Amino acid sequence: MDNNPLPVFYIDARRSLYLGRNRAPLREIHSGNSWFTVCLQGQLRFQANGHDEWITAKSILASAGTKITVDNRDAVSCVFYLDETKPDFAALKSLMQPTPSGLYCHHSHEESLAEQLRDLRDQEPDFDTALACLDELIYGPLGDRRHDFKADPRIEHVVQRIRETSAENMSVKQLAKEVNMSESGLIKLFRKNVGAPIRKHRLWCRLINFITFVMAGKSIPEATTLAGFSDASHLSKCYSSLMGVPISVAFARTPTIKCFIADEKLTRAEQMDPKSERLPTDPREYFARLAMSKAS
């Protein structure tokens, strides 16, 4: 088995963390979730939709729904996908410089963050340890900055409900009823707090579930249906738009990434019809087993 280390991706609907080891072919990103990136090596440049100016930076913060084009040159990056039910975005924003396009860059501790993230990547801790480290990187060792920011409890409820029902098309009317708001009022409040429309954030949650189903051993068609995508074309379009890379890059025929997902979520996904057996975290182990089975 090839022992060259692979990038690692800790995946969850609450927060996710991608830790790169090589240049990724990023392009236009229109995410359904707020995200923060730090270069572990080199710099990248970015251009917001509707703005001609390119800005060079080692760190970028973008709210959900922001359209951004990234030229990562030879940079190696990590990406935090933030929790919309927590004040992650506000906490990071307070330590960054605003740009005319509404994005933020130049985190005041980006060099220290990059060093800690390189160490985290090389240690490859378990899922819970990595997510605890991510919380500390956002809020500080004691979490003392968390109380400086407040999330709207109505939005917390709606985001949680979207996560729980993302494969369904729960109506805005039903969501609004649950938080005692009008449909138009919820739409405006959600856009103000999250940045993306409810529909786009639901697609983001479906994408996280799709990856979870694949890692739980479901076939790509099975995972596509279980996650709530209408077909492969719909999945491919959403993956490219929300992640910034084609789906073929992540799910190629050769190993490209190690995925860590909470054990209880994988167990639950395994038990869904059709039942399946989870894939190994390191895809090279799967390909080695496949080669051995074909040889026999």
Side-chain angles (χ1 to χ4, degrees):
M1 187 185 298
D2 184 3
N3 290 320
N4 290 328
L6 295 175
V8 293
F9 198 2
Y10 295 89
I11 303 169
D12 190 78
R14 297 165 297 168
R15 292 190 184 116
S16 295
L17 174 63
Y18 170 81
L19 296 162
R21 292 188 180 275
N22 42 44
R23 180 182 180 275
L26 293 174
R27 51 191 189 191
E28 185 176 272
I29 303 170
H30 190 191
S31 181
N33 215 58
S34 299
W35 56 274
F36 171 65
T37 188
V38 180
C39 291
L40 306 182
Q41 174 185 315
Q43 297 184 96
L44 48 74
R45 64 175 191 157
F46 65 93
Q47 181 186 55
N49 189 47
H51 292 259
D52 295 329
E53 179 186 10
W54 285 91
I55 298 175
T56 300
K58 293 195 69 167
S59 57
I60 305 170
L61 175 66
S63 64
T66 303
K67 289 185 179 180
I68 175 175
T69 301
V70 177
D71 173 10
N72 63 337
R73 301 176 175 182
D74 293 322
V76 175
S77 301
C78 90
V79 183
F80 300 12
Y81 295 98
L82 306 177
D83 189 342
E84 303 295 357
T85 69
K86 302 290 188 296
D88 292 0
F89 185 88
L92 288 166
K93 183 177 75 171
S94 69
L95 295 172
M96 302 186 74
Q97 299 176 19
T99 71
S101 62
L103 296 162
Y104 296 83
C105 60
H106 308 314
H107 190 284
S108 58
H109 305 305
E110 60 188 19
E111 294 295 345
S112 174
L113 279 175
E115 182 178 356
Q116 293 176 75
L117 287 162
R118 285 192 294 267
D119 288 343
L120 185 65
R121 178 194 63 189
D122 295 339
Q123 293 165 9
E124 292 187 4
D126 61 36
F127 179 88
D128 290 336
T129 301
L131 269 289
C133 289
L134 179 55
D135 190 84
E136 183 174 311
L137 290 170
I138 294 172
Y139 292 102
L142 301 178
D144 51 357
R145 299 181 65 246
R146 186 189 306 277
H147 302 293
D148 297 337
F149 311 98
K150 300 293 183 182
D152 190 306
R154 295 169 295 181
I155 296 303
E156 289 181 330
H157 176 86
V158 170
V159 169
Q160 185 59 37
R161 290 290 283 143
I162 291 171
R163 290 173 181 171
E164 295 168 351
T165 64
S166 62
E168 307 165 18
N169 282 312
M170 178 176 281
S171 68
V172 176
K173 181 179 180 180
Q174 176 60 34
L175 291 169
K177 182 179 179 181
E178 292 183 8
V179 291
N180 297 313
M181 295 184 69
S182 66
E183 292 180 55
S184 60
L186 175 58
I187 289 170
K188 291 177 182 177
L189 185 67
F190 194 91
R191 190 67 181 258
K192 177 182 177 182
N193 281 264
V194 176
I198 290 172
R199 175 182 171 276
K200 196 166 193 70
H201 189 69
R202 180 182 286 121
L203 290 174
W204 170 258
C205 294
R206 286 180 181 175
L207 200 60
I208 296 299
N209 286 338
F210 166 78
I211 298 171
T212 301
F213 286 131
V214 170
M215 291 306 298
K218 310 298 185 191
S219 68
I220 297 293
E222 289 167 351
T224 300
T225 301
L226 288 170
F229 290 104
S230 56
D231 53 35
S233 176
H234 185 209
L235 167 66
S236 179
K237 182 179 179 181
C238 290
Y239 197 100
S240 178
S241 172
L242 300 177
M243 289 292 195
V245 295
I247 192 170
S248 58
V249 171
F251 296 93
R253 290 182 177 274
T254 55
T256 59
I257 192 168
K258 294 175 73 171
C259 292
F260 292 82
I261 299 172
D263 184 71
E264 66 271 16
K265 295 200 172 181
L266 284 172
T267 299
R268 191 159 56 246
E270 283 179 290
Q271 297 307 310
M272 293 183 68
D273 189 35
K275 288 183 169 55
S276 58
E277 182 178 346
R278 74 182 66 178
L279 302 182
T281 297
D282 190 330
R284 291 170 297 193
E285 184 180 338
Y286 167 76
F287 282 95
R289 289 181 193 170
L290 194 61
M292 289 179 63
S293 65
K294 288 182 177 179
S296 61

